[in-house]
Amino acid sequence: MLPSIVRIAPKSHHLHRTFTTPNPIPATFLRGGTSKGVFLNRAHLPEDQSQWDPIFLGIMGSPDTANGLQINGMGGGISSLSKICVVGSASTEQQAQGIDAEYTFVQVGIRDTTIDLSGNCGNLSSMIGVFAMDEGFCSRDPSALSETTTTIRVHNTNTNKIIDTTFPVTLAGDSLQPKLDLPQTTMAGVPGKASQITLEFISPAGARTGELLPTRKPLDSVNILDQEIPVSLVDATNPTVFVTYTDLCRVLRPSSLVDFSTPELRELMESIRRAGAIKMGLDPNMQAQPKIAVLSPSCDQDHDIGIHAFSMGVLHKAVPMTVGLCLGVAAKVEGTLAWDLTKSMRLGKVEEREFIRIKHPSGIVEVGADFAADGEVLKAKVVRTGRRIMKGVVWW
């Protein structure tokens, strides 16, 4: 099991003069999927990671205890906008394995000084390859490419996993550069069309716990309010606690609709998440890991399963991509809640579809998972888009 890395920065984080890091520092602001984040070159940060905290908090404008808007920084007041990626060149050993770059994802607290390195962000992962090429960490020989796309292989330090990102490229001068403005695909939650970025998470099982099913069971239960609530505890790309909409209705108000905005519901979700974390062998005090999501059966032919996911205790406006990917894997694991809710998509089918269609509050996303004959998860995959927004310097 990987160690949990969550830091609470000291209150004196604004005393910048104790650090030798320049202020401002070079930065790029990018959208990846339905998230936006600040991308930093690893070489521009202190070698000692314990000195990163005040830099990241200053960049994001945290903590914003008054109103949670991060009005004093680059953050946007919600978890999907309070993110940083630190990207560097691959080591000699990694290059020998075909790895082009390495990165660390950082979830920055909004109202507090939490710096959480315990998990990865699937959405921002889609832009790591683009940033790596832009920064010169890796390149491709134009004469050796017969296609109009390239694949960049990156190593994520949070989960110790490999991710392949494939995206269009164009010849600029004598080098290839990412081409992100092709009208190839759309994605829910983002207006317009953009170039297709295909993400493939290699061997995604056990990202935090070392096991696809940390309890070795596809179906568990947690006791909340003296009631047993069925849950599936799955760890693929990021560990996630899955519960069904039907069971929430039963626990909260039988035969009534669930209001995801109520404090009562949020408290119940957090209680379930914490209980699931303990069963998974994770620290329940880490809000970022595990995630928790509510699953519902398909109510229309345009999707196979519905999801409402919570991130850092708040209902996500779409779905964290690592949660979507985890659901894509879980739906192919017999006995899980996701497997049971997606039975209809398998009925009468000679071959199972490559992608599962997930409906979230902003639309539909398709995710896929490939399994070996012995049940090992070979890869989880999804299509994203991204956009360069700004490149310059950021004050911290």
Side-chain angles (χ1 to χ4, degrees):
M1 183 185 300
L2 294 173
S4 301
I5 306 176
V6 180
R7 300 195 290 266
I8 306 296
K11 292 183 178 179
S12 59
H13 69 273
H14 289 300
L15 299 179
H16 301 147
R17 66 189 62 184
T18 60
F19 301 97
T20 57
T21 303
N23 194 3
I25 58 174
T28 303
F29 195 50
L30 302 172
R31 175 184 68 80
T34 53
S35 292
K36 290 190 290 187
V38 175
F39 285 60
L40 303 174
N41 187 325
R42 175 68 176 82
H44 297 152
L45 292 172
E47 187 67 30
D48 182 359
Q49 287 194 20
S50 67
Q51 297 184 11
W52 290 5
D53 297 11
I55 301 171
F56 295 162
L57 292 168
I59 289 173
M60 283 293 145
S62 298
D64 187 350
T65 57
N67 52 36
L69 296 177
Q70 294 174 305
I71 200 70
N72 206 35
M74 295 289 290
I78 57 176
S79 63
S80 59
L81 303 179
S82 189
K83 300 180 175 185
I84 291 174
C85 289
V86 178
V87 190
S89 57
S91 65
T92 302
E93 293 76 15
Q94 289 175 329
Q95 290 176 18
Q97 301 170 34
I99 297 172
D100 296 297
E102 181 178 80
Y103 76 102
T104 299
F105 167 69
V106 184
Q107 183 74 58
V108 181
I110 297 171
R111 293 180 178 271
D112 57 31
T113 59
T114 300
I115 300 295
D116 195 335
L117 286 73
S118 63
N120 188 20
C121 172
N123 277 303
L124 291 189
S125 294
S126 62
M127 291 295 282
I128 299 296
V130 171
F131 181 79
M133 286 192 75
D134 286 348
E135 290 292 301
F137 297 145
C138 55
S139 61
R140 294 292 185 265
D141 181 2
S143 63
L145 278 179
S146 58
E147 303 292 336
T148 57
T149 64
T150 192
T151 298
I152 302 297
R153 171 160 285 196
V154 299
H155 174 253
N156 174 247
T157 65
N158 308 79
T159 59
N160 197 30
K161 296 292 184 179
I162 302 297
I163 304 165
D164 288 342
T165 63
T166 302
F167 48 84
V169 289
T170 185
L171 186 62
D174 58 354
S175 65
L176 287 174
Q177 294 185 2
K179 178 73 171 174
L180 302 180
D181 57 356
L182 298 175
Q184 292 181 326
T185 189
T186 62
M187 58 173 292
V190 181
K193 288 188 174 183
S195 299
Q196 176 174 309
I197 303 173
T198 302
L199 273 176
E200 294 184 322
F201 290 72
I202 311 302
S203 300
R208 291 301 306 170
T209 66
E211 299 284 347
L212 174 62
L213 302 175
T215 64
R216 307 294 177 89
K217 297 184 294 183
L219 189 63
D220 277 275
S221 67
V222 294
N223 188 286
I224 306 295
L225 302 176
D226 295 324
Q227 297 192 58
E228 291 295 323
I229 302 177
V231 294
S232 285
L233 308 174
V234 185
D235 183 2
T237 66
N238 263 344
T240 306
V241 178
F242 293 110
V243 63
T244 69
Y245 184 91
T246 299
D247 285 315
L248 285 187
C249 288
R250 174 175 57 83
V251 174
L252 285 172
R253 288 180 288 275
S255 302
S256 67
L257 297 177
V258 170
D259 184 351
F260 288 100
S261 65
T262 65
E264 181 185 16
L265 188 280
R266 291 198 299 270
E267 290 175 9
L268 175 60
M269 293 296 289
E270 179 60 13
S271 296
I272 298 173
R273 191 197 68 82
R274 292 176 67 89
I278 292 173
K279 281 182 172 283
M280 298 173 93
L282 298 172
D283 184 354
N285 294 316
M286 290 193 305
Q287 277 199 324
Q289 302 292 323
K291 304 291 188 186
I292 184 167
V294 183
L295 305 180
S296 54
S298 171
C299 58
D300 203 329
Q301 292 185 351
D302 68 347
H303 65 281
D304 301 305
I305 193 170
I307 189 170
H308 286 80
F310 283 72
S311 179
M312 305 293 285
V314 179
L315 179 67
H316 201 283
K317 295 182 182 298
V319 59
M321 204 58 259
T322 49
V323 176
L325 288 160
C326 189
L327 176 54
V329 172
K332 293 190 175 184
V333 177
E334 187 172 358
T336 65
L337 294 173
W339 167 275
D340 185 59
L341 289 172
T342 55
K343 279 182 179 178
S344 60
M345 67 176 282
R346 292 184 292 271
L347 293 177
K349 302 290 193 307
V350 177
E351 290 187 8
E352 195 169 336
R353 280 205 321 270
E354 181 181 9
F355 288 91
I356 175 176
R357 298 167 302 187
I358 301 171
K359 186 172 185 177
H360 54 77
S362 294
I364 294 174
V365 62
E366 294 188 354
V367 298
D370 292 344
F371 285 71
D374 62 0
E376 178 190 359
V377 188
L378 299 177
K379 64 177 67 172
K381 49 193 175 182
V382 68
V383 170
R384 301 277 84 186
T385 67
R387 180 172 181 262
R388 300 180 184 92
I389 298 175
M390 183 221 73
K391 183 177 180 66
V393 296
V394 63
W395 275 262
W396 53 274

